[in-house]
Amino acid sequence: MLALSSVLGLLAVIQSFGLLYLGDTVHHLDHSHLQTMMFLQLVAGGHLMLFVTRTRGAFWKPPYPSPKLFFAIVSTQIAAVLMCSQGWLVPALPWGIIGFVWAYNLAWMVVQDVVKLGLYGILDPGHSWKRSLFQPLRVPIAGGVVTPK
């Protein structure tokens, strides 16, 4: 679990700095609007990571999150989007930037899930790639005749 959380944490840092770079160089936001954009990214990215890490399987497959978790996250995201769009306590962002931040976070959510599934496949001793790779080589010998499994 330490390796998985370390890799996902590193991906989250790369995700944040990538968005900061895009906001500065592509969207040419000033520092106050970059701060608002990063606030939205940290709120959205952190909560979407909960959906990724809550299960060992793909985040879109059952078991689904409990209604309490799902609606707590959705309500927090609505509040954060309203704060950023209306300028409540932070400089207002245009809806295009808000949509860009959300699209960026959803794309990274898929990347993080693929990495999570890959790491579980490598690190889980019961489903290790080594076991599946070398399993065909392990055949019992009965009476001098090789019998495939």
Side-chain angles (χ1 to χ4, degrees), residues 128-149:
S128 173
W129 65 272
K130 292 177 185 176
R131 182 175 176 192
S132 62
L133 179 66
F134 296 113
Q135 187 66 32
L137 300 177
R138 295 184 187 150
V139 290
I141 299 176
V145 178
V146 176
T147 57
K149 262 189 162 177

Side-chain angles (χ1 to χ4, degrees), residues 61-141:
K61 291 185 177 179
Y64 298 115
S66 72
K68 286 182 182 181
L69 174 66
F70 180 78
F71 290 113
I73 290 174
V74 168
S75 62
T76 305
Q77 297 311 308
I78 291 170
V81 165
L82 287 174
M83 284 178 68
C84 293
S85 67
Q86 302 304 310
W88 299 336
L89 305 175
V90 295
L93 286 178
W95 283 105
I97 299 294
I98 292 171
F100 173 75
V101 170
W102 264 95
Y104 183 84
N105 276 289
L106 290 171
W108 269 96
M109 184 182 183
V110 172
V111 170
Q112 290 167 336
D113 201 55
V114 168
V115 169
K116 174 197 75 175
L117 294 172
L119 282 173
Y120 273 132
I122 292 169
L123 299 175
D124 186 3
H127 298 94
S128 173
W129 65 272
K130 292 177 185 176
R131 182 175 176 192
S132 62
L133 179 66
F134 296 113
Q135 187 66 32
L137 300 177
R138 295 184 187 150
V139 290
I141 299 176

Side-chain angles (χ1 to χ4, degrees), residues 13-33:
V13 170
I14 293 168
Q15 172 187 1
S16 294
F17 278 107
L19 184 64
L20 181 64
Y21 175 78
L22 292 173
D24 186 35
T25 60
V26 174
H27 294 290
H28 307 291
L29 298 175
D30 60 26
H31 288 282
S32 63
H33 288 94

